[in-house]
Amino acid sequence: MKRAICIAVMVFVGICVCACGKGGEEPVMSHAPESTAVTVSGQPVQEEGIPLVSSARAFAMAEDLVAGMTLKEKIGQMFMVHLSQLDSSHTEDGNQYKVTSRMRKLLEEYNFGGIYMTVNNIANEKQTKKLAGSLQNSVSGGALYLAIEEEGGGKSLLSSRIEAGEEDKLEKNPDTQDSDVPDYSLYQESYGIATAFHGVGININFAPVADVASEENPEYAARCLGSDTDTVADRAESFIRGMEAGGLATTLKYFPGIAKVAGNPALELLENNDSLMTLRSINFTTYEAGISAGADAVMMSNVSVNKVTINKIPAFLSQEIVTNLLREELGFDGVVFTPFLDEPLIIDKYTSGFVAVEAVKAGCDMLILPYDWREAYEALLLAVQRGDISEKVINTAVQRILKNKIQRGILIIENED
């Protein structure tokens, strides 16, 4: 890499991390600086999590890092996996609470961009902090997203394991007043949950759901922030600002919306028959509010939007939806995630290689839990080598990922000059 980098583990105590040196130098050992203030990877947060590194500066840093990466390293950054995909060994109840030698070997070899954490990986605060540190110390060339899915709305099994979600234990942000955010209560709840997870090394949340709830899908409606556009827009803003003030990057999901689709989209390819005009007047409004509030990423849906696409395909495989609508019309230039690719719908209908290539062609930056990640990795690598996908597309995706990690303090650049 052209610049030495330090993988900053998101904890409040100093943890040694490795940085890649120029010209094959020995790794430099460093500590994340300690602070009594709320921090993102050891860096003080300004005004509700506003990044300390400007967008332009972070982009330049990311661009320089990408220029020094091999094609394989870049493709690795576009993958998020879970620990069981790296090592199938686990406890009798399916838990994986520490990094094994096999996991470490694959993390070093493939330069993954992220790990998705579940209740099977999080036992308590001490264990989670140790696991997060071990994971970050296992990679070089780009810090890991350590992701959870915590949508709020009360105490969850995941949050209870690190004592988040209990009203009397939630940390409050004294710098924000009732009038500063549309929903002050939700802001403070999100802030408290974020500080708890951030304190053990988690750095990104797959939330909030930005869809408007519909009675056509009552189970999904329970996960939404409201049943009218204005309420969802206000609550999405409050949730995002609270999460990011507490140190977590956020993800709007599932674009362009699945609330009106009856059934389980994880099991079958369902159809959203809304017109583009309806999508613009309802769904786009809430996503625009979330983007304006500072959402770092958008997760695509796996529902077919028949009035937009020519073929019946999941939204995340459609260039019309990912690039034309989300990127160009809504102006979103953050990280775009696929939905979970290990769901039955995707596994039964497509190969992992096909999904990886077509999702990137559509405009997605990061592949979330490909069922056969090796097949997906090799297919994407081969597509670039054959010229089916320009390496410039890969560069742009990785630049977005690294830029976001830099801005959120997940990846800290050292010895820049």
Side-chain angles (χ1 to χ4, degrees), residues 290-305:
I291 292 169
S292 296
D296 300 89
V298 170
M299 180 174 284
M300 302 300 300
S301 84
N302 54 10
V303 167
S304 173
V305 186

Side-chain angles (χ1 to χ4, degrees), residues 26 186 227 230 282 309 335 372 404 408 412:
E26 290 297 316
L186 179 58
S227 57
D230 290 341
I282 299 177
T309 61
V335 182
D372 187 335
N404 179 248
R408 291 301 171 200
I412 296 176

